[in-house]
Amino acid sequence: MSDSDTLNPGGHRTVLLRGGEVHSPADPFATAMVVERGHIAWVGEEGAADAFAAGVEEVIDLEGALVTPAFVDAHVHTTATGFALTGLDLSAAASLAEAAELIRAHAAARPGDRILIGHGWDASRWPERRPLTREELDGLTGGRPLYLTRIDVHSAVVTTALLDLVPGVRDLDGFHDGRAPLTGDAHHAVRAAAFAAVSPLQRTEAQRAARAHAASLGIGTLHECGGPRISSEDDFTGLLDLARGEPGPRVVGYWADLDVERARALGALGAAGDLFADGSLGSHTACLHEPYADSAGHSGSAHLDAAAIAAHVVACTETGLQAGFHAIGDAAVTAVVDGVRAAAEKLGLARIRAARHRVEHAEMLTAETVAAFAELGLTASVQPAFDALWGGEDGMYAERLGAERARTLNPYAALLRAGVPLAFGSDSPVTPLDPWGTVRAAAFHRTPEHRVSVRAAFTAHTRGGWRAVGRDDAGTLVPGAPADYAIWRTGDLVVQAPDDRVARWSTDPRSGTPGLPDLSPGVELPVCLRTVVHGQTVFVRPNE
């Protein structure tokens, strides 16, 4: 791709892109696009592009590349993502021994760090089938504080030195002896202590790393999911200030707090995000109607009941903020539905629907709760990579729930058929920022009846993220829309013509539907060449 490859952090240039493929519903045959004042000004075919060439400040020869709307990741923990990118990441460790060696090497490489932070261990995938004990961690770190989250971020193993920073932690719910991870209140307390020990410089460096990585993947917007039990107010406001002051993906902030006025004061769009109705399946803390298959008599933990949910939805709606809840287990999802319905009975269904309240994750759904989402106008903010990582007959879902219940999880096709708005995200660092991989995971869901077309999945990961924040004028390349786009090197474009389950593929241009990359398993995913946010370039791949 040829042009001047300098970033343009100030001002808006008038740009003509031509000689490629432009994914636009305005013209399925578009090969060119004009951007002016941070918005799309024109989309059309090559023959008409000459009329614009003399009046623009820059012409980009796409050389056959694909232009799409930039992706929106609808659920991210930005600072934690940055720490995983720059620090101790155990997601690739295939055994307890491998994890131990990574921890030892990281501790040795960073002798000056007051605290060590890591992420990503998953003992369910290790031959030993257990996490590292506190005694083992103490030996690996030389007695320094270490906070190491499980891949789902709902439990953690820590060193004795970190526990010593949290008076009274041994008396909190969720504290276990040195052979079991911390959960619940004990986990939240040590997490707060761990992140409080991180310097502002370390935090800002992590945030910059996460935004730069997102931009390199064609992501133009991040929905930051912060909260008092997840991060800190300084972390949240610092990230919003950074995003306003430096080029990169824009950040929309959600603060998970029942204190609605506090969320508003912090600059959040909603008192929402990871406002926990329950926990996670991997940590046995998602709240279920029936017990876990691998933990007799245990059904997880409920953090909010329907009455508390109803009160919060009413308060948010009357204040003009979005409400939203983390709900994974079927009992937690039922509580959210019952609470939102109670709020609708008080305020009227039209007001509740107009507010576009959200449910994060929403993994264990039934036909009744899917119908309720549609009735109440709830957005399902979901993570298809969860199914790719934990689904299938032998995956963690089946281990926790049994194969029959596991097959019901993440029913994206049913949600779409019911008219439920979908917004796709990663929950990074739980799963990596990987937008095309996310689209592939939804299109090739491990349970075939839950699969959706690539086009529907792509829409959920672009326009769906904008709609989830109340914007219907963005996430698509049409005149007047914000100029958030990415340029990709990819193979042939195809159009998916779904049958009742998923699909066959077509390259027939007569369909009148703009094509997308072939995301079949094993096919190389598109490579991002450039990312633009509101008309300003925030990433250019080197040597392109």
Side-chain angles (χ1 to χ4, degrees):
M1 187 179 64
S2 59
D3 77 309
S4 58
D5 283 345
T6 56
L7 296 182
N8 178 35
H12 292 297
R13 297 170 66 82
T14 303
V15 180
L16 167 64
L17 299 90
R18 64 186 305 177
E21 301 282 349
V22 178
H23 183 86
S24 172
D27 184 345
F29 308 106
T31 61
M33 181 173 77
V34 174
V35 174
E36 185 176 20
R37 297 191 183 95
H39 289 77
I40 308 300
W42 172 84
V43 173
E45 296 180 50
E46 190 65 28
D50 290 337
F52 296 95
V56 301
E57 297 169 83
E58 182 179 11
V59 177
I60 295 177
D61 181 0
L62 295 169
E63 299 180 4
L66 171 67
V67 184
T68 71
F71 285 101
V72 177
D73 193 307
H75 192 118
V76 177
H77 305 286
T78 307
T79 305
T81 296
F83 283 132
L85 288 167
T86 61
L88 176 55
D89 182 3
L90 299 183
S91 60
S95 67
L96 185 147
E98 281 188 24
E101 183 53 39
L102 288 169
I103 294 167
R104 180 185 293 107
H106 181 76
R110 303 185 73 92
D113 286 2
R114 291 181 294 174
I115 186 165
L116 302 170
I117 292 179
H119 168 73
W121 61 269
D122 184 359
S124 71
R125 295 188 288 160
W126 294 349
E128 299 87 354
R129 309 292 290 179
R130 70 167 180 87
L132 287 146
T133 66
R134 192 165 303 139
E135 183 179 9
E136 288 168 335
L137 293 172
D138 288 345
L140 292 169
T141 60
R144 272 191 290 169
L146 167 71
Y147 172 67
L148 194 58
T149 46
R150 188 186 183 279
I151 192 168
D152 59 11
V153 200
H154 283 268
S155 57
V157 291
V158 302
T159 55
T160 303
L162 180 55
L163 292 179
D164 291 343
L165 298 177
V166 190
V169 67
R170 292 169 174 81
D171 299 322
L172 295 178
D173 177 64
F175 181 84
H176 304 287
D177 65 26
R179 303 194 68 82
L182 304 182
T183 60
D185 292 341
H187 175 216
H188 298 147
V190 298
R191 174 163 52 192
F195 282 101
V198 171
S199 72
L201 178 60
Q202 283 178 291
R203 187 173 63 224
T204 300
E205 288 176 345
Q207 292 169 348
R208 285 192 176 117
R211 291 180 75 228
H213 184 58
S216 75
L217 297 170
I219 298 170
T221 300
L222 302 170
H223 294 186
E224 165 67 12
C225 292
R229 299 174 73 182
I230 302 164
S231 52
S232 70
E233 293 184 4
D234 287 345
D235 179 275
F236 186 74
T237 57
L239 174 63
L240 297 183
D241 288 343
L242 182 73
R244 282 189 290 263
E246 296 183 3
R250 61 168 55 78
V251 176
V252 177
Y254 287 95
W255 184 251
D257 199 336
L258 292 175
D259 185 341
V260 175
E261 289 304 323
R262 189 63 193 151
R264 179 197 285 278
L266 292 174
L269 186 70
D274 274 332
L275 185 52
F276 296 119
D278 69 343
S280 74
L281 292 167
S283 292
H284 290 98
T285 52
C287 190
L288 312 181
H289 285 305
E290 301 294 335
Y292 285 89
D294 62 347
S295 184
H298 180 51
S299 299
S301 306
H303 301 310
L304 295 171
D305 60 18
I309 289 165
H312 186 65
V313 172
V314 168
C316 286
T317 305
E318 292 184 329
T319 310
L321 295 182
Q322 284 181 287
F325 306 91
H326 163 119
I328 286 178
D330 49 3
V333 173
T334 297
V336 170
V337 164
D338 289 347
V340 178
R341 183 172 282 123
E345 290 170 358
K346 179 173 183 178
L347 298 181
L349 181 59
R351 287 187 69 186
I352 295 299
R353 289 178 60 87
R356 304 192 189 190
H357 301 308
R358 298 171 52 145
V359 183
E360 308 299 318
H361 315 309
E363 294 196 73
M364 293 186 70
L365 295 162
T366 64
E368 292 74 21
T369 50
V370 168
F373 272 45
E375 173 197 359
L376 299 166
L378 295 172
T379 294
S381 171
V382 296
Q383 294 75 39
F386 287 5
D387 174 74
L389 184 60
W390 296 315
E393 295 296 314
D394 300 320
M396 182 271 288
Y397 288 154
E399 181 177 321
R400 294 289 186 268
L401 304 172
E404 183 177 352
R405 273 195 293 175
R407 281 192 292 270
T408 69
L409 264 61
N410 303 303
Y412 304 137
L415 287 163
L416 279 178
R417 284 195 300 269
V420 176
L422 291 182
F424 281 178
S426 63
D427 199 8
S428 180
V430 175
T431 62
L433 299 172
D434 180 15
W436 285 114
T438 295
V439 174
R440 172 184 278 171
F444 294 92
H445 197 294
R446 289 179 179 270
T447 305
E449 57 263 36
H450 299 330
R451 294 174 178 173
V452 298
S453 70
V454 167
R455 182 184 180 192
F458 178 78
T459 299
H461 215 347
T462 50
R463 196 170 189 183
W466 283 97
R467 287 174 166 170
V469 299
R471 292 280 300 273
D472 294 327
D473 61 337
T476 184
L477 301 181
V478 296
D484 281 33
Y485 61 90
I487 302 175
W488 306 92
R489 182 172 62 238
T490 187
D492 291 339
L493 304 184
V494 294
V495 175
Q496 189 176 17
D499 60 22
D500 289 339
R501 293 194 314 182
V502 58
R504 54 191 172 80
W505 296 90
S506 170
T507 56
D508 187 349
R510 293 172 297 177
S511 66
T513 303
L516 284 165
D518 181 355
L519 301 183
S520 300
V523 175
E524 184 179 355
L525 293 174
V527 174
C528 184
L529 304 178
R530 178 183 294 254
T531 305
V532 175
V533 175
H534 196 50
Q536 303 203 6
T537 299
V538 298
F539 168 76
V540 174
R541 182 163 296 280
N543 303 317
E544 294 286 350

